[in-house]
Amino acid sequence: MSGGCPDGRAARLRALAQRDRATRARLVADGVLFDGYHPEMERVHLENARAMEELLDAGGWPEAGEVGEAAAEAALLVALHAISAPAFQRRCCRLLRAAVERGAAPARQLARLEDRVAFNERKPQRYGTVFDWDAAGRLSPWTLEDPTAVEALRQSVGLPALAEEVARLRRAAGEEGNRPPGDHRARQAEMDAWARRVGWIE
C-alpha cells in the first residue's frame, strides 16, 4: 500500500529514528537512561508514534520496496519503542504481519515486534528477542514460550543464534553502564503496574 511521496515518507521515518537514537545516546552519556523509563525518552517515543501514525494513515506500513531498507528499519524501530502506546504498537504488528504474508517485509521484523507486544502484555515470547534482567542479575531473554523450539524458530525467520544475541546484548549493557536492579521482584512488580497503567493488561 502506498500513499504520499515515498521519498518524503522515507526521510520522515529516518528522521524519527535518528531523533530516537540521538536522545538515547545523550541519556546514556549522562548516566540517566537506565533508572526506570526516562520521561524524555518516553516523550520522544510517543511523539514519534504519533508522527508515524500519520504516515500509516496516509500510506500503510512502510515497505522497503517503497521507502528503502533504512527507512523500513526506522519504521520498525519506532514501532518497537512505542511501548506506552498499546493501540499503535498492536496496529503496527497487524500491518507488518500483512506485509510479511505478502512477501513485502522480512519475517525477522515481525518476530521482534510480536515478541515486544508479548513482553508488554507480560506474556511469554516466541523468538527470544526481548531481554530483561533475571533473578540472578543477568541480562537474559524474557520468558520463552517454548525454550526447546526457540533456536529453530529464530533460524526460520533469519535471526542469529540466541547465544550470539545473549553475548552481544550483555556486552552492550556493560559498555553502556546498564546494571541489574537492586530488587528483582520489585522491578517486576513495577513493570506489571506500568503495563496496567498504560493499558497493556487489565
Side-chain angles (χ1 to χ4, degrees):
M1 183 176 183
S2 62
C5 172
D7 288 344
R9 274 163 57 89
R12 182 62 173 145
L13 288 165
R14 292 194 300 268
L16 295 177
Q18 177 55 31
R19 183 190 180 200
D20 183 309
R21 295 188 186 102
T23 303
R24 184 184 190 283
R26 177 167 49 78
L27 295 175
V28 168
D30 291 344
V32 297
L33 181 66
F34 303 115
D35 185 17
Y37 192 12
H38 195 281
E40 184 178 357
M41 195 78 260
E42 182 177 26
R43 183 170 65 252
V44 169
H45 290 162
L46 286 172
E47 289 175 357
N48 279 359
R50 285 192 289 270
M52 187 165 144
E53 189 95 62
E54 296 177 1
L55 297 178
L56 297 180
D57 290 343
W61 183 259
E63 299 169 4
E66 173 204 0
V67 299
E69 293 288 346
E73 288 293 332
L76 177 65
L77 181 144
V78 172
L80 285 169
H81 289 182
I83 61 174
S84 293
F88 169 76
Q89 199 169 72
R90 287 174 173 138
R91 180 189 183 190
C92 287
C93 204
R94 292 193 300 271
L95 292 174
L96 181 53
R97 184 178 299 112
V100 170
E101 289 173 351
R102 61 177 177 267
R108 60 175 171 76
Q109 291 187 337
L110 180 60
R112 294 181 63 195
L113 192 53
E114 286 182 339
D115 274 2
R116 174 59 61 178
V117 169
F119 175 79
N120 291 339
E121 293 175 342
R122 314 305 287 155
K123 296 177 181 178
Q125 61 177 330
R126 180 169 298 170
Y127 301 94
T129 64
V130 178
F131 280 59
D132 193 17
W133 298 104
D134 63 22
R138 298 169 302 192
L139 192 61
S140 301
W142 169 252
T143 306
L144 295 169
E145 190 176 277
D146 184 353
T148 64
V150 68
E151 291 293 6
L153 287 168
R154 289 176 68 89
Q155 185 176 17
S156 73
V157 297
L159 290 168
L162 189 55
E164 295 177 12
E165 193 72 349
V166 169
R168 183 183 71 82
L169 291 176
R170 287 179 178 175
R171 181 171 60 252
E175 292 170 352
E176 291 183 334
N178 189 1
R179 299 288 183 265
D183 188 329
H184 179 261
R185 288 186 178 179
R187 172 184 166 85
Q188 294 305 313
E190 289 171 3
M191 293 180 71
D192 289 349
W194 169 84
R196 289 187 177 87
R197 177 173 59 80
V198 301
W200 281 110
I201 56 178
E202 295 181 0

